[in-house]
C-alpha cells in the first residue's frame, strides 16, 4: 500500500486535502496535539471529518502526541474511547503510556508511533511493534539505509515526512521555546525560536534555521526501500498551499505507480513546489548529513505567496461562465491558470470581469469579492485560479 498523507488544521483544509489527492489526513484534536495554535478539531468536527473521509474511501488519523505531564492524563481514557467511537482510523502517539492504554482498552483504531519518538533503528522499531504499534513515523533524520534496514527487519508500515518545515533540533526534542518564551514545545506550544534572528558581535541577523524538506525527487527510491506513507507537514498552512503540494505529490506518485514518470515531470513539479513555499527546500538527511547549505545562518527572505487569485465556487455550463471568490488582486489582461484534481492545468487571459451585480469591472481588488469570468472550459467547485507560474514547454 502506498499512501499520501496530508495535514489538516480544520475541516475546510481536510476536505481540500482529500479532494486534491490525499489518501488520508492527520489532524489534531483540541487536546493532546502538538499544534496548539492551529484551529484544530472538536469532537463534532472529527465526527464530520471522519464521515466525509470514509465516504471517499479515505482515512483520518488524530495526533495524541504531546509528552504527557501528570496533569495532562486527566480525561485521556475517555478521549481515546470517543475517538474510537467516532471511527478514527488511527492515533499518532509518542508517549509509551498512551500506546499501552490504547492496547489495554482494546480500541479498534490503530496506534501509529509519532516522529517525536525519534525511531532510527530496527531494535527500537521492534520494541514498539511488540507494544502494539502498527506503524512507525520515522524520525526526520532517517536516511535511506536506516529506512531499508528497519523495513527488512520489522515488516512494519513505515511513514516518512517528505515535505514541509524541519526542526532545528532532533525531531522536535528542543527546549529553546520553553527557556526563551515559557511555551512548552513538547505540549504544542513551540514558539519556533530557531527562526528568530539574534544580534551577535559578528552579525545582527544570526539564526539557526533549517531549510524546508522537499523529497519530490526521491519518491521512487523511497517506495523501493519500503516506505508506505508519504507525509506532508503543514497543519498551519492554508488551502492553496495544501492543494498545490498534495496535487504535485499525487501526480508524481501516480506516475511512478503507472511507470510513466519522466525527468520533465520531476523538474516541473519541483519547480511548482519551490514556488509555493516561502523558504528554500532540500532533501535534508535522506542521502547524507545536511551541510551549511541546507540551513540559514545569516538571514533569509520569507516572502508571502500571492499566487492564489481565486477559488471556483460554481460553473454555469449554459452561460459558459465561472463564479469565483477572489483571494488576491487580478485585472483585465492578466494571464492566469486554473488547476484542480480532475483536470489538466490550463492558462487563460482575462478579457472580461463581472461583479455580482452583472456590471463589468476592470479589477478584482477586494478580498473575497464574488466575480464572474467567461470561460469555455468547464470547471468544478474548489478548482483554483492562480498566477500563471511558467510555461510547461519552457526550459526547466
Amino acid at each position: 500500500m502506498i499512501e499520501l498523507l496530508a495535514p489538516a488544521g480544520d475541516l475546510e483544509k481536510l476536505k481540500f486535502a482529500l479532494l486534491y489527492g490525499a489518501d488520508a489526513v492527520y489532524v489534531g484534536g483540541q487536546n493532546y496535539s502538538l499544534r496548539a495554535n492551529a484551529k484544530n478539531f472538536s469532537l463534532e468536527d472529527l465526527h464530520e471529518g471522519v464521515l466525509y473521509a470514509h465516504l471517499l474511501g479515505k482515512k483520518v488519523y488524530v495526533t495524541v502526541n504531546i509528552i504527557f505531564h501528570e496533569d495532562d492524563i486527566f480525561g485521556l481514557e475517555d478521549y481515546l474511547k470517543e475517538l474510537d467511537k467516532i471511527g478514527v482510523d488511527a492515533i499518532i502517539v509518542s508517549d509509551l503510556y498512551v500506546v499501552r492504554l490504547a492496547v489495554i482498552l482494546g480500541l479498534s483504531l490503530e496506534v501509529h508511533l509519532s516522529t517525536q519518538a525519534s525511531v532510527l533503528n530496527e531494535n527500537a522499531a521492534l520494541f514498539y511493534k511488540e507494544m502494539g504499534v502498527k506503524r512507525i513515523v520515522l524520525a526526520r533524520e532517517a536516511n535511506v539505509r536506516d529506512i531499508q534496514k528497519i523495513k527488512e527487519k520489522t515488516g512494519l508500515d513505515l511513514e516518512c515526512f517528505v515535505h514541509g518545515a524541519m526542526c532545528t533540533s532532533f525531531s522536535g526534542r528542543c527546549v529553546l521555546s520553553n527557556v526563551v518564551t515559557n511555551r512548552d514545545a513538547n505540549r504544542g506550544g513551540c514558539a519556533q525560536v530557531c527562526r528568530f534572528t539574534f544580534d551577535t558581535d559578528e552579525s545582527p541577523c544570526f539564526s539557526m534555521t533549517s531549510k524546508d524538506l522537499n523529497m519530490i525527487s526521491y519518491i521512487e527510491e523511497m517506495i523501493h526501500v519500503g516506505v508506505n506513507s508519504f507525509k506532508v507537514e503543514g497543519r498551519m498552512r492554508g488551502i492553496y498551499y495544501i492543494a498545490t503540494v498534495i496535487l504535485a505529490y499525487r501526480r508524481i506518485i501516480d506516475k511512478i505507480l503507472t511507470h510513466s514518470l519522466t525527468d520533465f515531470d520531476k523538474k516541473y513539479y519541483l519547480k511548482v513546489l519551490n514556488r509555493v513555499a516561502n523558504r528554500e527546500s532540500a532533501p535534508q538527511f535522506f542521502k547524507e548529513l545536511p551541510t551549511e547549505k541546507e540551513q540559514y545562518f545569516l538571514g533569509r527572505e520569507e516572502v508571502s505567496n500571492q499566487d492564489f487569485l481565486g477559488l471556483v465556487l460554481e460553473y454555469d455550463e449554459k452561460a459558459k461562465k465561472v463564479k469565483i471568490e477572489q483571494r488576491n488582486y487580478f485585472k483585465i489582461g492578466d494571464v492566469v491558470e486554473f488547476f484542480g484534481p480532475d483536470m489538466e492545468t490550463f492558462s487563460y487571459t482575462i478579457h472580461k470581469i463581472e461583479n455580482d451585480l452583472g456590471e463589468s469591472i476592470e479589477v478584482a481588488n477586494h478580498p473575497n469579492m464574488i466575480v464572474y469570468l467567461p470561460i469555455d472550459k468547464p470547471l468544478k467547485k474548489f478548482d483554483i485560479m492562480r498566477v500563471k507560474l511558467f510555461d510547461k514547454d519552457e526550459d526547466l
Side-chain angles (χ1 to χ4, degrees), residues 6 20 22 39 48 85 93 96 132 242 302 343 351 366:
Y20 273 78
K39 185 177 179 182
E48 182 178 341
K85 182 179 177 182
V93 309
L96 275 173
I242 291 171
E302 296 186 6
M343 58 178 282
H351 59 88
H366 300 297

Side-chain angles (χ1 to χ4, degrees), residues 33-38 66-67 69 172-196 236:
S33 168
L34 280 178
R35 287 295 180 270
N37 293 326
I66 65 168
I67 302 300
H69 290 236
R173 294 173 180 248
C174 175
V175 294
L176 275 176
S177 180
N178 304 57
V179 172
V180 176
T181 69
N182 202 32
R183 289 168 51 181
D184 193 336
N186 286 312
R187 285 199 285 178
C190 183
Q192 297 187 328
V193 175
C194 59
R195 300 199 188 282
F196 291 8
M236 301 289 286

Side-chain angles (χ1 to χ4, degrees), residues 88-143:
V88 166
D89 296 280
I91 51 174
I92 304 171
V93 309
S94 59
D95 195 303
L96 275 173
Y97 170 68
V98 185
V99 176
R100 181 170 175 269
L101 179 60
V103 173
I104 290 173
L105 292 174
L107 304 179
S108 298
L109 51 76
E110 290 187 353
V111 178
H112 296 175
L113 189 74
S114 172
T115 190
Q116 292 294 112
S118 302
V119 170
L120 284 169
N121 66 81
E122 61 178 276
N123 292 308
L126 284 169
F127 168 78
Y128 285 109
K129 182 178 182 179
E130 291 170 2
M131 289 283 294
V133 168
K134 299 298 184 183
R135 175 187 291 185
I136 303 282
V137 187
L138 293 177
R140 286 173 171 86
E141 295 77 20
N143 62 42

